[in-house]
Amino acid sequence: VLSLASTGHAIQVFDGVFTPPTCEALNVAANARGLGHALYTRSVGPRTALEHAFESFLSEVDDDSPHVEYWSRQEWKHIEAHADVDEALAAGGGPLRYPRHAHVLYLDVGSRVRGPTCVWEAGRGEDGRPPRFAGAMTVVPAVAGRVLRFDGSLQHAVPRPADVWLAPFVISQSGPPEDFGRSVVLFNCWPEAEAPPHEVQPDEPAAGVDAASIYRAAPRAQWRPADLSHGPPPASSGGRAATMKLWLLGERERRGSVERTLPLRVDADAVLAALQEGKECTRLDPVLA
């Protein structure tokens, strides 16, 4: 299978991949399994509800990666900017090894959640930005049944609240927990059959899912690809330029910086509109300093 980067489509978003009943069933399975990482080796075949979902999706996109690492999260959390890596390898002093493709499957989203996944394309960095943040930022709102698929080496983050990177101070959000739920399953594809991510073990098999079609993706012909080709104009055409303070995850080598935060010049109005949008994706070109 070709990597997304080699095809010129480093980021893809598909709506309607999983029907509402399937999202509900997968949400139950995700909540039941906890938060730990697990490994699905595709040659073994799916043994859990989530693995049936991965297998059906990856078959539809012709992804032949032999290993899938996955975990779930039910809470809307502020996730600092990072690229996923082989965590145990990196923790042991090894190189930063990235998956081929990364995915976010959105299952259940509270009514007050404005917690998009933001993904940065890489670039040359002539304007002083680090190369990994030098390209466009794609903002993908959390929508149940949607799947975000992107090159596994790309930086990504989730803000909470939506304006946290631009606000001078953060105001706490209050309300019923269900209003702020953000149930997602994250899964990464690893391309080498002999080299799955280190120290990630298979999940326990689940009973009664051997032929459960309720867990599978809809046929690809029924998916709706999101249009990522357009976005608001850059600050040079009249927007309000501002500095966005982006928090970085991990140790210094993984951050690529001594500092824990990275200042990025952005069109503040365009960025805020994109971050607070509830459904439509937005691709924002970088603003030159």
Side-chain angles (χ1 to χ4, degrees):
V1 63
L2 292 175
S3 70
L4 292 180
S6 67
T7 65
H9 302 284
I11 303 168
Q12 297 176 327
V13 180
F14 302 103
D15 286 322
V17 178
F18 293 93
T19 66
T22 298
C23 286
E24 183 177 350
L26 292 173
N27 190 39
V28 170
N31 277 272
R33 68 166 301 275
L35 304 178
H37 288 226
L39 181 69
Y40 166 44
T41 297
R42 296 178 69 190
S43 61
V44 174
R47 304 188 303 166
T48 71
L50 294 178
E51 291 174 4
H52 274 287
F54 307 146
E55 185 62 42
S56 61
F57 173 84
L58 294 173
S59 296
E60 291 288 344
V61 296
D62 296 323
D63 190 324
D64 62 0
S65 301
H67 299 292
V68 180
E69 176 191 14
Y70 64 96
W71 65 103
S72 56
R73 185 178 294 126
Q74 284 75 51
E75 181 184 358
W76 176 20
K77 299 179 65 175
H78 177 214
I79 305 298
E80 299 169 338
H82 67 287
D84 293 341
V85 298
D86 185 329
E87 297 284 354
L89 180 64
L96 297 179
R97 177 176 173 241
Y98 303 102
R100 173 189 281 165
H101 298 134
H103 305 80
V104 183
L105 162 57
Y106 305 91
L107 295 176
D108 187 58
V109 182
S111 60
R112 296 181 62 187
V113 171
R114 290 297 181 270
T117 306
C118 301
V119 187
W120 283 265
E121 297 171 36
R124 295 183 180 180
E126 293 97 334
D127 61 349
R129 290 180 177 224
R132 59 213 170 101
F133 291 100
M137 178 178 78
T138 297
V139 182
V140 181
V143 175
R146 168 175 285 175
V147 176
L148 162 63
R149 173 174 163 88
F150 57 99
D151 183 281
S153 66
L154 297 184
Q155 298 284 318
H156 54 285
V158 178
R160 181 173 184 182
D163 63 354
V164 66
W165 300 327
L166 283 161
F169 54 88
V170 176
I171 300 175
S172 62
Q173 298 173 304
S174 60
E178 59 269 21
D179 288 355
F180 295 97
R182 184 182 184 272
S183 179
V184 297
V185 176
L186 307 109
F187 60 104
N188 292 338
C189 293
W190 294 91
E192 297 92 9
E194 339 43 68
H198 290 68
E199 299 180 18
V200 182
Q201 302 300 317
D203 225 344
E204 291 294 324
V209 300
D210 290 347
S213 59
I214 184 61
Y215 300 123
R216 295 175 185 156
R220 186 165 183 175
Q222 298 177 17
W223 302 359
R224 301 182 300 279
D227 181 3
L228 304 180
S229 60
H230 303 291
S236 58
S237 64
R240 177 171 60 92
T243 298
M244 183 173 80
K245 184 172 76 171
L246 185 66
W247 288 85
L248 306 176
L249 179 72
E251 301 298 327
R252 176 176 176 177
E253 181 181 359
R254 186 169 181 181
R255 296 196 308 266
S257 168
V258 175
E259 303 297 329
R260 288 290 320 277
T261 60
L262 175 68
L264 296 174
R265 293 293 288 173
V266 298
D267 176 339
D269 295 329
V271 168
L272 284 173
L275 294 176
Q276 294 170 345
E277 163 63 35
K279 182 178 179 181
E280 299 300 328
C281 301
T282 309
R283 185 176 183 271
L284 297 163
D285 289 325
V287 172
L288 298 181

